[in-house]
Amino acid sequence: MHIETLAIHAGHQIDPATGAVVTPIYLSTTFERSSDGSYPQGYDYIRSNNPNREALEKCVSQLENGAVAAAFSSGSAATMSVFQALSPGAHVIAPNDIYSGTSLLLKDILAPWGLAVTFTDLTNPDLVAEAIQPNTKLIWIETPSNPLLKITDICQIAEIAHQANALCVCDNTWASPIVQTPLNLGADLVVHATTKYLGGHSDVLGGVVISKTENEFFQKIRKIQKVGGAVAAPFDCWLVMRGIQTLPYRMRAHSENALKVAEFLTNHPQVEQVYYPGLKHHSGHEIARKQMQLFGGMISCQVKGGKEKAFAVAAKVKIFTRATSLGGVESLIEHRASIEGKGTKTPENLLRLSIGLEHPDDLINDLAQALE
């Protein structure tokens, strides 16, 4: 089936009890046993499983062309589960411009636990190969990266990982399975913050890990999900499932709007640099063309005049909302360095834009008056 059809039907079924076309929300925390102590319906306790969570996992695994998936209460919990499935002493290679939340997990939580981490430029395969150690177990890809939208060649990095008998994991949050499918390009696992494009309406928190195969490593992730208990709530799963049904059409509009805004910013005299892989001058444009069907809805730009000018632009917008997060129908703007805080490597004059579904001319006019 085509992706548009999968987005609407994968994981959905007619309710056998009522014939309801929309899947009910199953809020029960526990389920009845048979007289022999078994669970004939396959559910025993909400932390172990739930019909809504099971439906979401089936849906997302199909969208990403994976075998199985595990849904979590947040994108960070999903990310954490992948690293926790490794053993203390394992070595991980990660991007030097990785999402700040993942960087904090690796440095402040997992390094003291015993995980060794090397941060390097994943857009340079030679540097990645040089970073391989005898105990390297996993290479973490984030493409496009946050917030500089660097593009990593998933096929090349997956090959390097597999030559070292390591896993290749891709955070596909910014792209979504509509824009790129890393499992088809050699990755072993994909991670999403379902809070973003999959949910699509800035009203639900969640995360998911999808595996290409149902292997021993994924079973460790599943056990962490069940025993650790950071599971996605039934209503949250239901909201994400609802959002996914319009995902293909939303991503097309996000991408179309973003390209128009990026082209406007590129030609504006008050803008120093624009980061968007859909622009032909972007350093990763050719790789993006190869592995992405669209270029996504995220843009970063550096404005002339430093930090003060960046704050002034963000203060003057009227349609864009000054807020963190991304992937919703509304357009957002933020001064990324101040969000990341102490130790950030993000330029002080950089603004990150999540381009929503408003008319692109209105978004361009809003930015034009703010940049005056």
Side-chain angles (χ1 to χ4, degrees), residues 104-185:
L104 286 174
L105 280 177
L106 289 169
K107 293 177 180 178
D108 296 352
I109 306 298
L110 294 160
W113 169 76
L115 199 68
V117 185
T118 297
F119 294 96
T120 191
D121 182 1
L122 260 72
T123 66
N124 187 332
D126 292 336
L127 292 178
V128 177
E130 289 175 11
I132 294 288
Q133 300 178 13
N135 59 334
T136 300
K137 300 298 181 184
L138 188 150
I139 300 179
W140 185 273
I141 293 174
E142 184 183 293
T143 183
S145 70
N146 181 4
L148 294 178
L149 290 109
K150 292 183 179 180
I151 301 298
T152 296
D153 190 320
I154 298 172
C155 289
Q156 276 195 306
I157 302 305
E159 185 177 350
I160 293 171
H162 296 155
Q163 286 175 351
N165 293 317
L167 294 169
C168 176
V169 184
C170 183
D171 184 337
N172 203 30
T173 298
W174 273 34
S176 89
I178 308 305
V179 171
Q180 69 184 9
T181 47
L183 298 182
N184 292 347
L185 299 170

Side-chain angles (χ1 to χ4, degrees), residues 281-302:
H281 68 261
H282 186 281
S283 60
H285 178 69
E286 289 306 315
I287 296 173
R289 282 185 60 196
K290 180 181 69 173
Q291 68 186 23
M292 301 171 76
Q293 286 74 54
L294 303 165
F295 297 110
M298 297 300 297
I299 302 172
S300 288
C301 66
Q302 290 177 251

